[in-house]
Amino acid sequence: MNTQAITRRNGSQGTLAVADIDEFAKRLRGRLVRRGDADYAGVRAIWNGMIEKQPALIARVQGVADVIEVIRFARQHDLLISVRGGGHNVAGTALCDDGLTIDLTQMKAVLVDASAREAVVQAGATWGDVDRETQLYGLAVPSGIISTTGVPGLTLGGGFGWLSRKHGYTCDNLLEAELVTADGRVIRASAKENADLFWGLRGGGGNFGVVTAFKFRLQPVGPQVVGGMILYPLDKAAEVLKFFREFTTSAPEELGALAVLRPAPPAPFLPKELHGKPVVAIVVCYVGDPEEGARVLKPLKEFGQPLADVIGPKPFTALQAMLDGGQLAGRRYYWKSEYLHEIKEGTIDTLIAQARQLGSPHSAILVFQLGGAISRVGPLETAASGRDARYIVNIAGAWENKQDNEREMKWVRDTWAAVRPFGTGAVYVNFMANDERPERLHAAYGTEIYQRLAALKDRHDPDNFFRTNQNILPARERRPAEVATVN
Ligand SMILES: Cc1cc2nc3c(=O)[nH]c(=O)nc-3n(C[C@H](O)[C@H](O)[C@H](O)COP(=O)(O)OP(=O)(O)OC[C@H]3O[C@@H](n4cnc5c(N)ncnc54)[C@H](O)[C@@H]3O)c2cc1C
């Protein structure tokens, strides 16, 4: 065989000459991995084991010049492409069937300028990589709550975590991005340069180019913080969630808080007899003065009769990785999510009823507190949504075996249907599953942001070269009614 089957940008099937692929491989500094190579399966693997997409080619790029080379080659042969950062997106948008995946995971440099309180981060880094370097100076970028998540996808969708009530979304701390455009040019986007793109990159996902590096503002954090987890039996969930509501309503912005309903994971920091028992947990991180943190957390530590309490002083890097073990790569994952303005009595009853129906030992319902600095940025200042929400609920189905797909996905969908009446109607774009596009994308952003993103897509990617993502359609692919509302 001297041709390779491929998918074109419009979804049609075609072939590529192997000689052309060989030539292309030689032009890259990184390696081009092909289907059939011994390490293909390992290179292709992403966090969500449900995603079966098989790219024909995976370019493990080693720099901006490689990214340009890949974009030129894909353009020349009209190839479908996808862009992979940390590979954590639940919808599996990092991969594309029979296309060409731009894999950034070899580009992991993190350069900290402690005196300027800035860091330049290459797009293959994870948040664990970033924390490791920035914490040397007691600095951090507000990021997510799992250290193995990739920097690019999380930042481009908005990004929230323990530091967000104090310091805003991840994208609120972005100062500049270096990206390669759909026509293979390297440009910078910041408040001063390509400001329209800079707006869209802060929430609009991978719709406008391949970001090769991010420059972030750093915030003083740790290196010691007060945080951890306190667990109660699920039978006490009504009291615990009411306490969580009151506690988070009056808590200072230094506190990040999350409530979780799930079977207790087999975490090394939990007593063995608890593993697998249905629990409700409150997980916290206080990022100010440790003594003040102990005072703020006292009512929580004194509330009820916990099964276990592992809240205390710890390195920020340890807290950032504390929940990693419950989110192992390769399991099957399916999520649905809603923003909430408040936690009503009905919300609490619904969450508990659905937690009782939970089948898999790995599934969970998570309620994360938002607000604070997130809500002080105007709703249209960036493309990131959810600034008016005070909480976000994520219904996170996770299981091992394919034969359980239907049962576990049904639980997620049923739970979502029950929670929806209490939601704001919007959704966090980074928590959307692969079966919700494009219908929920409008809801994710709301009309005004969506329309601005669509106009930006027309300017910067009118051919929809970057389409394997939470895709904002350019005018030539929108239905007439949609075009009318955008123009
Ligand atoms: C276990 C887990 C925990 C999470 N926790 C949080 C959390 O606490 N807070 C939060 O906000 N989110 C969280 N998320 C969601 C997370 O923000 C998204 O999954 C995000 O897409 C992950 O980024 P990634 O780079 O790993 O994604 P990938 O799967 O690699 O990429 C996702 C998409 O982003 C785009 N993209 C990736 N890299 C680039 C690039 N360099 N240039 C242009 N586009 C690019 C592409 O469209 C790609 O399809 C979590 C996800 C997981 C799986």
Side-chain angles (χ1 to χ4, degrees):
M1 281 284 283
N2 48 10
T3 60
Q4 161 77 52
I6 49 94
T7 301
R8 296 200 185 88
R9 196 157 41 88
N10 67 6
S12 65
Q13 301 304 302
T15 55
L16 255 183
V18 170
D20 287 341
I21 299 175
D22 292 343
E23 261 314 301
F24 168 52
K26 280 188 208 147
R27 292 199 298 273
L28 297 177
R29 183 152 71 95
R31 204 178 128 226
L32 184 69
V33 178
R34 310 168 195 214
R35 202 168 344 170
D37 284 354
D39 58 350
Y40 175 86
V43 171
R44 190 217 72 97
I46 56 170
W47 173 76
N48 189 353
M50 286 268 273
I51 307 298
E52 291 175 349
K53 287 184 266 186
Q54 305 274 329
L57 303 168
I58 303 175
R60 309 204 87 189
V61 291
Q62 290 273 13
V64 180
D66 272 2
V67 175
I68 295 172
E69 204 62 69
V70 177
I71 287 181
R72 283 196 188 138
F73 182 75
R75 278 241 172 246
Q76 187 188 351
H77 296 280
D78 194 24
L79 293 177
L80 180 67
I81 62 133
S82 64
V83 183
R84 180 202 167 130
H88 257 220
N89 195 280
V90 69
T93 51
L95 300 177
C96 56
D97 257 333
D98 296 325
L100 169 51
T101 292
I102 303 174
D103 176 347
L104 291 141
T105 53
Q106 307 301 295
M107 294 171 56
K108 285 185 182 295
V110 179
L111 303 174
V112 179
D113 181 344
S115 55
R117 288 202 177 163
E118 291 175 3
V120 174
V121 179
Q122 279 192 314
T126 64
W127 287 109
D129 299 329
V130 176
D131 288 337
R132 186 176 159 84
E133 300 300 329
T134 58
Q135 277 292 283
L136 291 175
Y137 308 96
L139 298 169
V141 183
S143 64
I145 62 170
I146 300 292
S147 75
T148 50
T149 306
V151 168
L154 183 137
T155 305
L156 296 171
F160 67 85
W162 302 122
L163 311 183
S164 295
R165 280 170 38 76
K166 176 81 177 151
H167 297 298
Y169 281 148
T170 307
C171 72
D172 298 337
N173 292 270
L174 182 65
L175 297 171
E176 189 176 291
E178 173 191 74
L179 72 156
V180 181
T181 60
D183 51 5
R185 284 174 305 123
V186 190
I187 61 168
R188 285 175 194 282
S190 68
K192 292 193 184 131
E193 220 176 328
N194 296 303
D196 62 338
L197 258 182
F198 187 55
W199 176 87
L201 291 176
R202 290 173 294 161
N207 273 287
F208 307 108
V210 180
V211 177
T212 43
F214 299 85
K215 186 195 279 183
F216 290 107
R217 182 188 308 119
L218 299 176
Q219 305 290 353
V221 173
Q224 287 282 311
V225 293
V226 185
M229 182 188 288
I230 188 163
L231 295 95
Y232 303 85
L234 189 64
D235 289 346
K236 298 288 175 202
E239 293 96 307
V240 173
L241 289 177
K242 280 177 197 164
F243 174 83
F244 176 76
R245 178 175 61 192
E246 305 316 319
F247 184 62
T248 51
T249 303
S250 57
E253 292 183 355
E254 281 74 13
L255 190 83
L258 161 72
V260 187
L261 298 93
R262 61 164 298 165
F269 55 81
L270 294 179
K272 268 212 167 74
E273 61 276 13
L274 260 190
H275 297 176
K277 296 256 159 54
V279 294
V280 54
I282 297 180
V283 193
V284 288
C285 175
Y286 184 89
V287 292
D289 169 58
E291 273 181 35
E292 179 60 11
R295 196 191 62 73
V296 167
L297 290 165
K298 197 162 176 266
L300 171 61
K301 288 177 80 69
E302 288 177 352
F303 177 75
Q305 288 167 328
L307 295 168
D309 174 2
V310 291
I311 297 175
K314 41 180 75 66
F316 179 64
T317 47
L319 192 104
Q320 285 285 82
M322 186 178 79
L323 303 178
D324 288 4
Q327 301 293 333
L328 297 182
R331 280 192 188 133
R332 312 181 80 77
Y333 292 99
Y334 182 69
W335 292 0
K336 294 259 186 210
S337 146
E338 283 288 324
Y339 289 118
L340 306 179
H341 286 309
E342 57 185 327
I343 300 175
K344 296 186 173 153
E345 297 296 304
T347 321
I348 291 177
D349 295 344
T350 304
L351 295 177
I352 296 170
Q354 289 305 127
R356 291 194 195 289
Q357 305 296 319
L358 203 149
S360 162
H362 309 300
S363 294
I365 303 174
L366 301 97
V367 185
F368 199 95
Q369 187 187 12
L370 300 173
I374 297 170
S375 57
R376 283 197 294 278
V377 175
L380 300 180
E381 275 183 56
T382 69
S385 68
R387 297 205 184 266
D388 59 340
R390 287 187 47 214
Y391 298 93
I392 183 167
V393 175
N394 193 21
I395 304 145
W399 62 101
E400 304 277 2
N401 300 314
K402 195 170 186 171
Q403 61 266 29
D404 297 331
N405 281 5
E406 214 167 293
R407 186 189 73 196
E408 298 302 330
M409 289 169 78
K410 181 175 180 329
W411 173 78
V412 175
R413 289 188 183 122
D414 289 351
T415 305
W416 180 54
V419 169
R420 274 195 102 175
F422 304 104
T424 67
V427 57
Y428 178 32
V429 69
N430 273 352
F431 283 180
M432 285 171 63
N434 53 351
D435 60 354
E436 332 196 77
R437 293 169 295 148
E439 294 76 11
R440 273 199 103 202
L441 206 51
H442 287 77
Y445 288 114
T447 306
E448 277 185 278
I449 292 180
Y450 188 90
Q451 289 186 358
R452 278 181 68 172
L453 284 172
L456 206 57
K457 186 78 173 172
D458 289 345
R459 277 204 296 287
H460 294 282
D461 186 19
D463 302 332
N464 209 5
F465 182 73
F466 299 109
R467 63 194 307 130
T468 319
N469 46 36
Q470 299 296 357
N471 196 219
I472 305 287
L473 293 176
R476 55 185 75 144
E477 294 187 30
R478 285 196 290 271
R479 293 190 300 272
E482 280 181 284
V483 175
T485 56
V486 170
N487 289 338

